[in-house]
Amino acid sequence: MRMPTARSLPEPSPLSSRWGLDPRVCFLNHGSYGACPTDVLEVQTEWRRGMESEPVRFFVERLTPALDAARTDLATLVGCEPCDLVFVPNATTGVAVALTNLRIEPGDEVLVNTHEYLACQNNADAIARSRGATVVRTELPFPIRSADEAADAILSRVTKKTRVCLISHITSPTALILPVDRLVGELQSRGIDVIVDGAHAPGMIEVDITALDPVCYTANCHKWLCAPKGAAFLYVRRDRQEGFRPMVLSNDAVLGRTGRSQFQVDFDYIGTNDYTAALCIPAALRTLRGMVEGGWDAIRAHNRNLALAGRDLVCDRLGVERPAPDDMLGAIATIVLPAHEPGLHERLARRETRNHDALQDALMDRHAIEVPVWSVAGRDQRLVRISAQLYNSIEQYAYLAEALAEELERERSEV
Ligand SMILES: Cc1ncc(COP(=O)(O)O)c(C=O)c1O
């Protein structure tokens, strides 16, 4: 892999000094895995030191109160009661556990859409199959004109057999904020349980789970809250917590613990593991808030404005339309690459790649840009998704726009 020297890359924002990102890479993919500031990683090191210096005291005495403290801070941010939140390692697990616990019986339908994250669709397929149920996939339009267009498409696939609906708060491949408030209300009023996959939502947009009132809501803290990897949560509405269990049961599953719900007892300790990512959520919230005057509102607005400006630069340089209205976007934005002559996509798809599309390899190998290039299954489109976090600068998107123009021209002549 050939990497340009750091000097030839555009400067990230001055706040990038708070992260340990490789300065030889123009990093425009916060969305996939998040990135954790170095101060927060130091807090995690401290927790790990404590755990390893006296493991028994850590697991028996310190872990539960520390999880409670993290839960309280997080619940305030996402608008729910701490007792309704448990920690899970990631949103994929949150979705899988939710699907496993909801009533899905032979002949039932589980409603998803084609913009759902693939791992979550895979879990829906596997669980539905194991129950004799079927998965119904709504095709969402992209480009899209309005949030109502998405809601109407999903609601049009509801039948008498629909039992559960899985909806991303913000879609992964297309970066759309879906109208979950309207959808949760309309679906649940018809007796359909809704799981909201909010993987990207906390830290990117305002989240108020109590107002939304879904049966389940899961999200990552390692993406836009910048906690260490492995920090995520699952909310389960109080009336559905009884009998709601993790896939693996621990020592306390039968005995319980006085003063705590079985729901929390079950999820708070699932065997020996490194729980320190969740314990760092308060430090992550504090650290990010401390970087920008105005706290989370200011962070969310800053990142969204940067993503929209970056999208505009790329769309204008490539001469393509903006594929979604601004009110459906937060700190990530997906751009549809210009369509080539018929047959070229097929030829391009046959190229060897470390990723989904060899264009992504070329952007890294020739320009040191980390940005995903992918597509939605069944659609003949190539998509680039940009992310904007406090460490990014507008110059980085201008650099991407030029690199994309150059690589698309190269593809036309070479492939
Ligand atoms: C909508 C959505 N759901 C789930 C996930 C999976 O997140 P994780 O790998 O942390 O489980 C992602 C990851 O990007 C996502 O975008």
Side-chain angles (χ1 to χ4, degrees):
M1 186 165 56
R2 188 171 74 76
M3 301 269 265
T5 60
R7 256 170 302 141
S8 67
L9 287 177
E11 287 288 326
S13 97
L15 279 173
S16 63
S17 65
R18 306 289 301 274
W19 274 265
L21 290 163
D22 187 342
R24 295 166 303 171
V25 173
C26 174
F27 193 74
L28 301 178
N29 189 10
H30 188 85
S32 282
Y33 305 103
C36 185
T38 44
D39 288 355
V40 181
L41 292 173
E42 276 163 27
V43 173
Q44 186 175 36
T45 301
E46 267 315 296
W47 277 114
R48 285 177 168 154
R49 257 193 212 114
M51 173 166 72
E52 297 304 339
S53 68
E54 224 296 27
V56 175
R57 190 163 66 221
F58 179 84
F59 281 100
V60 175
E61 293 175 30
R62 293 182 65 199
L63 181 58
T64 304
L67 285 173
D68 283 346
R71 197 172 356 240
T72 302
D73 279 12
L74 181 59
T76 307
L77 187 87
V78 298
C80 69
E81 294 294 327
C83 60
D84 300 327
L85 280 191
V86 289
F87 293 107
V88 287
N90 48 52
T92 306
T93 305
V95 166
V97 173
L99 284 164
T100 309
N101 275 278
L102 296 184
R103 191 165 64 89
I104 299 172
E105 292 176 344
D108 286 348
E109 289 176 356
V110 176
L111 186 56
V112 305
N113 67 76
T114 48
H115 296 208
E116 291 304 318
Y117 188 67
L118 189 58
C120 300
Q121 293 196 51
N122 291 341
N123 279 289
D125 286 336
I127 291 161
R129 203 179 311 118
S130 73
R131 308 271 174 93
T134 50
V135 171
V136 172
R137 269 185 185 72
T138 305
E139 177 124 2
L140 290 190
F142 196 74
I144 191 166
R145 285 187 304 270
S146 70
D148 275 344
E149 216 183 324
D152 293 343
I154 291 171
L155 292 169
S156 75
R157 301 298 304 276
V158 171
T159 72
K160 285 199 183 72
K161 297 181 198 160
T162 313
R163 185 69 54 219
V164 170
C165 181
L166 169 67
I167 314 166
S168 288
H169 203 156
I170 300 166
T171 61
S172 170
T174 45
L176 300 172
I177 302 174
L178 292 182
V180 285
D181 41 359
R182 177 180 162 199
L183 283 164
V184 171
E186 294 202 22
L187 291 164
Q188 290 191 165
S189 71
R190 299 187 207 181
I192 298 162
D193 289 341
V194 178
I195 304 167
V196 179
D197 171 2
H200 284 280
M204 192 202 289
I205 59 173
E206 213 170 332
V207 176
D208 185 343
I209 297 179
T210 305
L212 201 55
D213 199 31
V215 170
C216 296
Y217 190 108
T218 187
N220 284 326
C221 304
H222 50 233
K223 286 194 193 284
W224 297 89
L225 297 180
C226 297
K229 310 282 176 279
F233 71 87
L234 173 64
Y235 159 95
V236 178
R237 211 173 59 200
R238 194 103 31 103
D239 61 309
R240 303 298 286 275
Q241 287 173 14
E242 199 176 331
F244 193 106
R245 312 210 79 168
M247 293 184 213
V248 176
L249 299 179
S250 75
N251 294 343
D252 294 331
V254 178
L255 299 173
R257 287 174 75 180
T258 356
R260 302 186 74 80
S261 72
Q262 190 62 43
F263 172 59
Q264 283 199 344
V265 168
D266 277 345
F267 280 90
D268 277 4
Y269 178 76
I270 309 184
T272 310
N273 200 352
D274 186 348
Y275 295 90
T276 58
L279 304 188
C280 292
I281 291 168
L285 298 183
R286 215 173 37 241
T287 302
L288 266 274
R289 258 195 329 257
M291 287 187 196
V292 175
E293 209 170 308
W296 281 104
D297 284 345
I299 295 169
R300 289 189 290 250
H302 170 277
N303 290 343
R304 176 169 184 273
N305 290 338
L306 188 55
L308 292 181
R311 175 208 58 179
D312 288 349
L313 275 176
V314 175
C315 286
D316 291 347
R317 179 65 181 89
L318 302 183
V320 294
E321 295 297 314
R322 287 134 182 81
D326 289 1
D327 63 8
M328 293 186 81
L329 297 180
I332 47 178
T334 293
I335 296 137
V336 186
L337 293 177
H340 296 302
E341 70 268 19
L344 182 61
H345 277 187
E346 256 174 56
R347 296 205 302 283
L348 291 172
R350 282 199 293 270
R351 292 182 299 175
E352 289 243 333
T353 172
R354 305 188 293 276
N355 299 288
H356 184 90
D357 187 313
L359 175 58
Q360 183 170 339
D361 306 23
L363 288 169
M364 173 52 78
D365 297 348
R366 279 195 279 271
H367 308 272
I369 299 174
E370 189 65 83
V371 76
V373 182
W374 47 34
S375 57
V376 170
R379 286 184 89 94
D380 190 22
Q381 279 175 334
R382 300 168 82 201
L383 310 174
V384 172
R385 189 190 72 187
I386 57 168
S387 296
Q389 184 49 283
L390 294 177
Y391 51 75
N392 290 122
S393 68
I394 189 67
E395 290 76 17
Q396 293 180 305
Y397 305 96
Y399 176 68
L400 169 68
E402 288 308 319
L404 275 169
E406 183 187 318
E407 290 306 322
L408 291 174
E409 190 51 46
R410 189 192 306 273
E411 281 182 347
R412 251 182 235 119
S413 55
E414 284 182 3
V415 181

